[in-house]
Amino acid sequence: MTENNENCETCTHQGTCPSQNSDQAAACVDNLARKIKHKIIIASGKGGVGKSTVSVNLARALQLEGFKVGILDADITGPNIPKLLGIEDQSLVMGDEGIRPADAGGIKAASMALVLSSTDSPVVWRGPMKMAAIKQFIQDVDWGELDFLIIDLPPGTSDEPLSVVQLIPDLAGAIIVTTPQEVSLLDSRKAVNMVRAMKLPVIGIIENMAGLMCPHCHQRIDIFQSGGGERMAEETNVRFLGSIPIDPQVCSLGDAGQTFVEGDMPAADVFRLIVERLKNILR
């Protein structure tokens, strides 16, 4: 990654910085538009709803069906995608056509975590620095030909989502991830309105952590209440893609750098149905 100064007037790269070269940036963006068919952002109004887990499993489910898939981790200060994909030992390196993305079993990936010297290294950057990093991931990474680029946004409705929308042409739309409880739904409604304010379609809402099946009595336990995501979808006139139940295996697989969509469990079965609905919407 290029070292950048957050103040352009004092930056040593002034005049030669790719971020200031509008012709080069326009060419890169046009190239991105031609080579990638569907570009989908995964958003949430708040953290802790499992947005990154949804992102990596969506990417894996599409890749398993024969699609060429990439995933862009746009969460600069909290990049978790490499951990969930089991590629923490990889790094982004320069190639002949730009920055070469990491490979996660056939999924191309770019993340700030693949640039840091240590998994414990914090990214203590102001907004302009984060925006420059996102811009470089979009414009300078050699994504190649892709059917899908999944873009995992940081939570909230601030700088990073705006930058991604401004920099990436022809976005297919956004998927909003929420959990059933009202405190999450409150922020998820804001995420829906943010996407609409940016003139993007909301592809649908996914409700995560929607209930736990007791392994002893086999009764459903609604830890975070139930049905909140579906009610919000009706209230906001957005498609409801489905509810993913709580499953301890989802957590253990994620910690091990594996995706749960490949497994034989209720959460995987539901998620595969969600992916089928998404494919039908994008046809």
Side-chain angles (χ1 to χ4, degrees), residues 202-213:
V202 182
I203 295 172
I205 292 172
I206 293 176
E207 183 182 69
N208 196 22
M209 307 181 199
L212 171 68
M213 294 301 295

Side-chain angles (χ1 to χ4, degrees), residues 21-123:
N21 190 327
S22 58
D23 292 337
Q24 181 186 19
C28 289
V29 168
D30 182 61
N31 196 38
L32 192 74
R34 287 187 291 103
K35 287 189 173 184
I36 302 175
K37 293 179 183 177
H38 303 292
K39 298 170 281 288
I40 301 171
I41 59 176
I42 312 296
S44 68
K46 69 186 299 295
V49 299
K51 174 180 50 57
S52 295
T53 298
V54 168
S55 295
V56 297
N57 280 277
L58 176 57
R60 181 66 72 200
L62 292 168
Q63 186 251 341
L64 289 172
E65 294 195 20
F67 293 108
K68 297 177 181 177
V69 184
I71 184 165
L72 168 59
D73 188 353
D75 193 343
I76 301 301
T77 57
N80 296 318
I81 295 298
K83 172 66 175 178
L84 294 170
L85 287 175
I87 55 171
E88 288 181 291
D89 59 336
Q90 296 190 38
S91 300
L92 299 182
V93 296
M94 287 301 300
D96 295 336
E97 302 296 327
I99 299 171
R100 189 179 301 134
D103 179 80
I107 298 173
K108 295 181 178 180
S111 171
M112 195 68 203
L114 301 174
V115 177
L116 301 175
S117 58
S118 165
T119 56
D120 296 330
S121 299
V123 179

Side-chain angles (χ1 to χ4, degrees), residues 172-176 192 196 201-207 229-230 232-242 277-278 280-283:
I175 293 174
I176 309 298
V192 169
R196 286 175 168 164
V202 182
I203 295 172
I205 292 172
I206 293 176
E207 183 182 69
E230 190 166 7
M232 188 191 81
E234 292 176 359
E235 293 168 3
T236 55
N237 195 28
V238 174
R239 297 181 192 90
F240 183 66
L241 297 177
R277 289 169 185 160
L278 173 63
N280 289 333
I281 292 168
L282 295 178
R283 278 196 183 115

Side-chain angles (χ1 to χ4, degrees), residues 130-150:
K130 292 191 289 183
M131 299 311 102
I134 291 174
K135 192 171 185 178
Q136 193 163 13
F137 281 142
I138 293 169
Q139 295 179 356
D140 296 347
V141 171
D142 180 20
W143 292 106
E145 301 278 348
L146 293 178
D147 296 303
F148 290 91
L149 178 63
I150 307 301

